[in-house]
Amino acid sequence: MKQIALIFLLMIGSVITLQAQEIQWVSLEKALELQKKNPKKIMMDVYTNWCGPCKMLDKNTFHNKDVVEYVNKNYYAVKFNGEGNEVIKYNGKTFSNANYNPDLANRRNSVHDLTRYFQVNAYPTIVFFDETGGVISPIRGYQKPQQLELYLKLFKNDDHKDMKSQEDFNAYYSAFTPEFKEGI
């Protein structure tokens, strides 16, 4: 009987651990709604189903314990399929993908209007928003945990507002000491 109880407790612990290492993803509309009650910045992962680096970002970076904890504490996280067929309201406008082809759901498809609106032209791209839903900046390409950490902290702390040139960013980059561990 003690062995069954122990196995049961281990299983519960495993489930809690797995849940704790997940980013709490919400829709863009939900994130904007949440901002009204509790202002936080938004981090939006613009991905596609066919994109290899997008899958690596999800597996290696968005499941990294340090990334998960930091994002869940400081951001509303949004996953958005840049070639999906979701209808989204943002900034008083409605965005859709009129040319979406369901037969191409896991291959290259038509680009969503919101993807164009944010001027995303590569996958993955992480778009950061301020506390009022305004775009701060898109960050293109696959990011390792420590690479993403730089941007998470740069935008969270509003350090980007003091940067007037590439040299300012280079100085910030050179002085930045990552704290996130690279492993999952």
Side-chain angles (χ1 to χ4, degrees):
M1 190 64 167
K2 287 181 183 178
Q3 289 177 334
I4 293 172
L6 181 62
I7 291 171
F8 182 71
L9 287 173
L10 287 173
M11 287 173 41
I12 288 174
S14 297
V15 169
I16 290 169
T17 301
L18 287 174
Q19 287 178 340
Q21 290 193 8
E22 291 285 327
I23 290 178
Q24 298 166 2
W25 300 103
V26 296
S27 68
L28 179 58
E29 290 164 324
K30 180 68 174 175
L32 294 168
E33 182 183 313
L34 290 167
Q35 277 188 326
K36 293 175 186 172
K37 296 174 190 162
N38 182 21
K40 283 199 234 181
K41 291 180 173 66
I42 296 171
M43 176 195 81
M44 183 170 80
D45 172 29
V46 182
Y47 72 97
T48 64
N49 292 335
W50 52 263
C51 166
C54 298
K55 292 174 185 179
M56 287 175 44
L57 181 68
D58 190 52
K59 179 183 177 198
N60 299 333
T61 303
F62 292 147
H63 282 87
N64 174 283
K65 181 180 179 279
D66 295 326
V67 172
V68 170
E69 287 176 9
Y70 194 86
V71 169
N72 285 341
K73 180 179 178 187
N74 298 293
Y75 285 86
Y76 294 115
V78 174
K79 263 202 176 301
F80 172 67
N81 184 343
E83 296 180 357
N85 66 341
E86 189 176 358
V87 175
I88 298 174
K89 292 183 179 173
Y90 172 76
N91 230 10
K93 298 177 180 125
T94 301
F95 298 89
S96 63
N97 189 349
N99 296 318
Y100 178 79
N101 180 346
D103 295 334
L104 300 176
N106 291 315
R107 297 195 310 249
R108 288 190 184 267
N109 212 319
S110 173
V111 176
H112 198 283
D113 292 338
L114 189 63
T115 305
R116 292 183 207 281
Y117 183 80
F118 291 140
Q119 299 179 346
V120 171
N121 56 17
Y123 305 111
T125 292
I126 301 171
V127 181
F128 287 91
F129 299 79
D130 64 22
E131 291 86 351
T132 62
V135 174
I136 297 173
S137 181
I139 305 299
R140 289 175 39 170
Y142 172 75
Q143 304 291 315
K144 292 180 181 178
Q146 291 182 345
Q147 292 170 314
L148 181 59
E149 177 185 5
L150 178 131
Y151 294 107
L152 288 168
K153 292 180 177 178
L154 171 76
F155 298 130
K156 160 68 175 77
N157 299 328
D158 287 329
D159 292 335
H160 65 284
K161 291 181 177 180
D162 297 328
M163 295 181 186
K164 307 292 182 229
S165 66
Q166 182 65 45
E167 289 76 24
D168 292 343
F169 176 78
N170 292 348
Y172 180 90
Y173 179 85
S174 295
F176 184 78
T177 303
E179 297 171 350
F180 291 2
K181 294 185 178 40
E182 282 296 325
I184 295 174

